[in-house]
Every structure is written in structure tokens, then in C-alpha cells.
Amino acid sequence: MPPDHLIYQIAFSSIRNLTPEFAKALLDRIGSEEHFFELTEAQLSAVLGFRNRLFSDSVRRKALEEARKEEPFVTNNSISAIYFLDDRYPKRLLECPDAPLMLYGLGDTDLNNARFVSIVGTRHATVYGNSFVEKLVDDLAAKLDEKLVIISGLAYGIDIAAHRAALKNGIPTIAVLAHGLNTIYPATHRSAAVDIVKTGGMLLSDYRSIDTIHRGNFLARNRIVAGLCDFLIVAESAIRGGALVTARLASGYNREVMALPGRISDKYSAGCNELISSNIAALITSADDLIAMSGWNVKEREGSQKELFVNLTPEEEAILDIMTDRGEVMINDLSARIDMPIHRLMGLLIDMEFRSLIAHIPGGRYHRL
């Protein structure tokens, strides 16, 4: 891309309050980003049919000056400037009305062709939350026959646990930053950031290197964490935690939201319990819950091969007949219908699940595969 064209894209994307929909309509009317900056304020108002102070000569001149300073940083540091009209721009994010016009990425992750799971939570993660995140990512890596990407925000606590679990399993991970790519915050996670880029992941931000870091950035970046994913998992959160904001954003974007339940006395489970009780999030206790809800492909168990003709006991045939007839079925209902104690039925269901005859889904329900 010619440097001048990139400069105009950087400048145009920095104009405040431009949504992708409005920006595209604006460019359709004007013709190009270059033309947007070449026109005088009066000419621009005449073409658009309205006057906007954000399109004043002084605002556009400042945006262009700042873009000329930013372009060398982007070019000289091998940063991908991913514009909202580019094919590389994440299509999931483009569905969100408040998506940024430009993303700056360091790394080599395909932002479209994979299954994306965002994992968020408190900076004050407990052993319970950290252990859940590690096992969740371990099991997703072991069980899914899909290209998987883990997304989080590189913060203390749950975020860094998610990134490190992905790195351990050789899964690409995206760290969405609340500042430009000229720095890493917190600095203690710099080595993790380096590993993320080296192993096929990406550092991603909608902020330029010249932008000031302030508290509001961290909440604003949550819309990217929420919009990029297929599933958003809240591992631990206090009742007013930032992860709850991200979960509500994801729900508003029609993403699947799941939360890890905890004891009602635990401060950092209160937010998750609230998400579940208010039906914003489904309950998750393991990777199997996510896999069942997603319908994503799973790997065939090592050393096993599906039989063309499966030998079934009369009890197993009865269970499969019920599931064929009723679809999803609760274990209590199954117990009553085949007149089998729950403790014995549970062992039978586990064996059938291991043989890929049935699947367990959240809420104690089962269905036939």
C-alpha cells in the first residue's frame, strides 16, 4: 500500500464517532479518504448536505498531521494496519455497530478463519479460576478438531492465565490491548507478549502509538474482546467487575456467553452467578459444556475407531430409542422411563458417551449422536 494511502486511512479512522456503517456511507458519497481531506469544510458540507463540527478544517488537518507521524511507526515496525474495508478485517467484529475503523496488529493470526473463544475475568483470580481456565484450554485443545484461537486482554489474573494456557497448548492467542503497540501494559507481561507474537498469535489494538493511555481505554477495548469471538467465557468476576461489561457487550452482539459458577460467599464468583441467574450467560463447568453448545467438531478418540455395527445391550437400545423419540432428555426422566436407579444409569451414560453414542449437554441433559 502506498504510504500516502495508509496515511489517509489512519487519519480517516481517527475521526471520532465514525461507525463502519456511517463511514462507508460517507466514502460512498465523497469517493475516497483522500477526497475527504482535500475538500474544504464548505465543500464537504455541500457534498454531504449537512455540517458537522467533527469534519471541520481544523479537526481534519490535525488528524492528517497525526497520521503522518504515525505512519512511519506502523511501517517500520511491521505492524498490520487492518482497515474496516479490507478483507483481513475480522468479519465478526464488523457485525458490531461500534467496531473501530482501524485495527493495528503485531503478529500473524488470521482474524476470520478459526473458532474464536474469549476468556475474561477478574485481575484478582483465585486458584479456582486459574485452574478452571487452564483445564478449559487444555481440554479444548485436546478435544476440538477445529482451528482454535483464544482471546483475552493481557491483564493480570484470568487474562494472562488464558494466554499462558493457549501458549502451553500451541494455540494461537490474541491479546487485545488498551493502548498503542509501542508499549506493553502491564510491563511484567512483556515476555508473554513476545511469546504470543512468536507462536502465531497477535497483539491487537485500535489505538495508535501517539494515543494517551487512560482508564477509559480498558473498558473501550472490551468491545473488541466481545465482538471478535464466537463464545465469551467469564471465569471469575466480582459483581461490578469489568468482565461483566464485556459479557453484556457480547450478549448484545449476539455472541454466546458462558460463566463459571461459584459459591455465593465468594466475592469473585458473585458476578458470574449474577450473569447465570439473569440468563445473560449459560453455565459452564468444563470444555464439554462449550463443545456441546457450539456443535463444533471433536477429534476421534485416539486408538478408537467407530464401528459400523455397534453391539448394544437392551438398556442401551432403550436409552437410544427414547433419545431418538424425544431429542434431549433429562437423567431423571430416563431413570423413570427405563426403571433404572440413577447411580447405575449414570455409569451407563458415561460409558455410552465414551463410545460416542450420546453427548452430555449443560443442565444434566443428554442427546443421541
Side-chain angles (χ1 to χ4, degrees):
M1 178 188 300
D4 284 352
H5 189 58
L6 177 58
I7 288 168
Y8 284 119
Q9 288 186 345
I10 293 172
F12 185 69
S13 63
S14 73
I15 302 292
R16 288 192 300 122
N17 298 333
L18 279 184
T19 65
E21 184 178 10
F22 183 32
K24 189 172 186 313
L26 201 58
L27 292 173
D28 287 344
R29 180 73 66 86
I30 295 170
S32 68
E33 294 86 359
E34 291 89 337
H35 205 198
F36 175 81
F37 289 99
E38 289 167 354
L39 294 175
T40 66
E41 186 175 343
Q43 290 172 328
L44 190 57
S45 298
V47 171
L48 296 176
F50 63 87
R51 185 179 297 274
N52 189 322
R53 62 184 179 83
L54 293 176
F55 300 162
S56 68
D57 289 337
S58 61
V59 167
R60 290 181 296 134
R61 184 166 53 249
K62 181 182 178 184
L64 207 51
E65 289 170 357
E66 290 179 344
R68 289 194 175 100
K69 294 177 183 177
E70 185 69 11
E71 184 272 329
F73 173 79
V74 171
T75 302
N76 295 336
N77 290 283
S78 301
I79 291 168
S80 297
I82 308 167
Y83 195 49
F84 80 110
L85 295 177
D86 293 347
D87 291 339
R88 298 174 300 158
Y89 193 94
K91 294 178 176 59
R92 293 171 182 82
L93 191 58
L94 208 54
E95 297 169 357
C96 307
D98 54 354
L101 301 189
M102 182 76 85
L103 293 168
Y104 300 97
L106 187 60
D108 193 29
T109 303
D110 187 327
L111 298 175
N112 286 299
N113 298 312
R115 305 294 191 178
F116 291 83
V117 175
S118 290
I119 302 175
V120 298
T122 178
R123 287 171 166 77
H124 308 284
T126 68
V127 172
Y128 174 63
N130 282 331
S131 298
F132 165 76
V133 169
E134 183 172 4
K135 189 168 192 320
L136 174 69
V137 177
D138 286 353
D139 289 349
L140 288 175
K143 295 181 178 184
L144 279 179
D145 192 20
E146 304 267 6
K147 184 178 179 183
L148 178 67
V149 175
I150 300 296
I151 302 167
S152 200
L154 203 68
Y156 292 112
I158 294 298
D159 284 21
I160 193 63
H163 292 306
R164 285 173 175 156
L167 289 169
K168 184 185 77 171
N169 283 282
I171 298 171
T173 180
I174 296 173
V176 182
L177 308 180
H179 48 73
L181 296 175
N182 57 318
T183 189
I184 294 295
Y185 179 85
T188 52
H189 294 166
R190 185 177 298 276
S191 62
V194 171
D195 290 341
I196 286 170
V197 174
K198 282 183 176 179
T199 56
M202 179 176 278
L203 306 180
L204 193 66
S205 178
D206 63 325
Y207 293 100
R208 303 167 299 176
S209 66
I210 60 174
D211 291 329
T212 303
I213 303 175
H214 58 81
R215 290 180 63 183
N217 293 9
F218 292 88
L219 281 177
R221 66 95 181 267
N222 290 349
R223 77 195 194 284
I224 299 175
V225 175
L228 275 176
C229 68
D230 300 299
F231 275 78
L232 183 125
I233 311 299
V234 184
E236 282 188 307
S237 177
I239 199 68
R240 295 187 184 278
L244 266 67
V245 175
T246 312
R248 292 189 176 101
L249 284 169
S251 179
Y253 297 151
N254 294 315
R255 304 297 184 258
E256 297 289 353
V257 181
M258 306 185 82
L260 175 69
R263 295 179 300 189
I264 60 173
S265 58
D266 289 351
K267 176 180 179 181
Y268 295 111
S269 289
C272 291
N273 293 340
E274 167 64 21
L275 289 172
I276 294 166
S277 65
S278 61
N279 293 320
I280 292 174
L283 182 149
I284 185 171
T285 59
S286 70
D288 290 338
D289 294 334
L290 188 156
I291 291 168
M293 181 174 283
S294 69
W296 294 343
N297 295 323
V298 296
K299 296 174 183 175
E300 195 169 303
R301 287 182 177 86
E302 188 175 348
S304 70
Q305 188 172 2
K306 291 185 178 179
E307 301 175 44
L308 293 176
F309 302 99
V310 181
N311 294 320
L312 300 173
T313 66
E315 292 90 349
E316 290 170 343
E317 287 183 351
I319 289 170
L320 293 179
D321 286 344
I322 292 169
M323 291 181 181
T324 300
D325 182 54
R326 297 175 60 85
E328 297 174 4
V329 62
M330 301 284 291
I331 190 169
N332 289 338
D333 189 21
L334 268 177
S335 176
R337 285 176 174 273
I338 65 173
D339 192 23
M340 180 182 291
I342 286 181
H343 69 274
R344 186 179 159 215
L345 177 59
M346 180 63 73
L348 189 58
L349 292 174
I350 291 172
D351 181 64
M352 293 177 71
E353 187 175 3
F354 183 78
R355 291 158 60 198
S356 298
L357 298 173
I358 63 172
H360 173 249
I361 56 180
R365 295 168 293 159
Y366 292 83
H367 69 88
R368 181 172 185 167
L369 292 177

